[in-house]
Amino acid sequence: MNTDKFHLSSTDFDNLLWCATRYCIGRHSYVSGYAQDFWRIIQRNRGLLKGDRLKFFARDIRAEISDRINRYGNISVHNADNHCIKYDALSLLANYVQNHPEQKEGETFYEIDCITGEIETSSWAIESRRSALFPFYICNEFDLPYWALLANCIDRQYEVTLNCNGNERKELCVKHPVIGGEYTVVSNWSTCVCNQFIVDVKPLFSEEDDR
């Protein structure tokens, strides 16, 4: 049996995790499932990782998500590369589309600000600028939500109190980036809590995403 062990300083481990994640975000379905594995690594070793670096890590993920969406013809993203980025463009767009069902995605041009969270819209057609690029449809995006969930787990968790048939329990959750109003359980991203059972929601971090 090989008894050799890896020896990494907390800084080396932090750097390795960050670089690996940055590499994976740029790829698609065949690695997006690793996002939850990255979260498990962070969760198990959070006490060894620098808090400021983790916040930067979450912002960097949001910036990369926003940059990828900005490559589509009907999207223009502002402040994605700003170190003060607060929102990822995917979550902002999903929230906007859900609240404005009268606007068709393939016919709307979106200007998204990742600091203010504001979205401005105008008509978009084949004659529009950047018309050579395909439009972005949220329903076609299966990979980026995993990375948005990872960023949310790092710095935007909630303690959600549920009451099911008189039995009260608490779950650590994050907001789902695409399904508006849904909370996803931190320990299992495939599990969403039923809104009808929620009796209280308490944010666990001071830097709050209220969208």
Side-chain angles (χ1 to χ4, degrees):
M1 177 183 295
N2 187 348
T3 59
D4 292 339
K5 295 181 179 180
F6 287 106
H7 296 282
L8 288 174
S9 68
S10 59
T11 300
D12 289 338
F13 174 78
D14 192 11
N15 289 337
L16 182 62
L17 182 68
W18 179 71
C19 290
T21 304
R22 286 286 281 131
Y23 172 84
C24 287
I25 294 173
R27 275 65 190 168
H28 276 266
S29 296
Y30 65 99
V31 291
S32 61
Y34 288 128
Q36 189 164 15
D37 293 328
F38 282 127
W39 166 243
R40 293 189 183 104
I41 293 170
I42 293 170
Q43 192 174 32
R44 287 195 298 263
N45 298 279
R46 192 153 195 160
L48 302 175
L49 302 173
K50 297 177 181 179
D52 289 344
R53 181 63 179 270
L54 284 175
K55 290 181 181 179
F56 172 79
F57 192 12
R59 292 195 299 266
D60 192 60
I61 291 171
R62 294 184 179 109
E64 180 66 16
I65 291 171
S66 302
D67 178 67
R68 297 197 69 79
I69 290 178
N70 191 44
R71 301 177 189 184
Y72 287 85
N74 62 329
I75 307 288
S76 178
V77 179
H78 305 288
N79 290 312
D81 57 351
N82 191 299
H83 72 281
C84 294
I85 183 173
K86 187 175 181 182
Y87 309 102
D88 71 85
L90 175 68
S91 298
L92 289 171
L93 182 60
N95 181 71
Y96 183 89
V97 168
Q98 184 176 36
N99 291 325
H100 298 81
E102 74 283 358
Q103 293 188 346
K104 297 181 179 179
E105 285 187 80
E107 299 176 8
T108 305
F109 184 82
Y110 305 93
E111 291 195 61
I112 305 172
D113 193 306
C114 293
I115 291 182
T116 66
E118 299 299 321
I119 295 181
E120 294 184 5
T121 62
S122 58
S123 61
W124 186 83
I126 196 64
E127 296 84 8
S128 301
R129 62 191 178 95
R130 304 174 72 190
S131 60
L133 302 178
F134 290 110
F136 181 80
Y137 289 91
I138 294 171
C139 63
N140 293 337
E141 182 50 65
F142 300 104
D143 307 302
L144 295 181
Y146 284 101
W147 301 112
L149 281 170
L150 174 58
N152 289 345
C153 281
I154 292 172
D155 66 359
R156 291 178 184 168
Q157 292 185 26
Y158 299 83
E159 182 183 78
V160 177
T161 303
L162 305 171
N163 192 317
C164 304
N165 299 321
N167 297 316
E168 193 171 285
R169 76 176 193 273
K170 298 181 185 297
E171 294 277 5
L172 289 180
C173 298
V174 292
K175 288 183 178 179
H176 196 284
V178 173
I179 306 174
E182 290 281 353
Y183 287 91
T184 298
V185 177
V186 165
S187 60
N188 185 354
W189 294 359
S190 63
T191 301
C192 291
V193 301
C194 294
N195 289 336
Q196 67 190 81
F197 298 134
I198 296 177
V199 294
D200 187 47
V201 177
K202 182 174 70 174
L204 300 182
F205 299 97
S206 58
E207 186 174 347
E208 174 62 11
D209 179 4
D210 56 1
R211 292 178 178 267

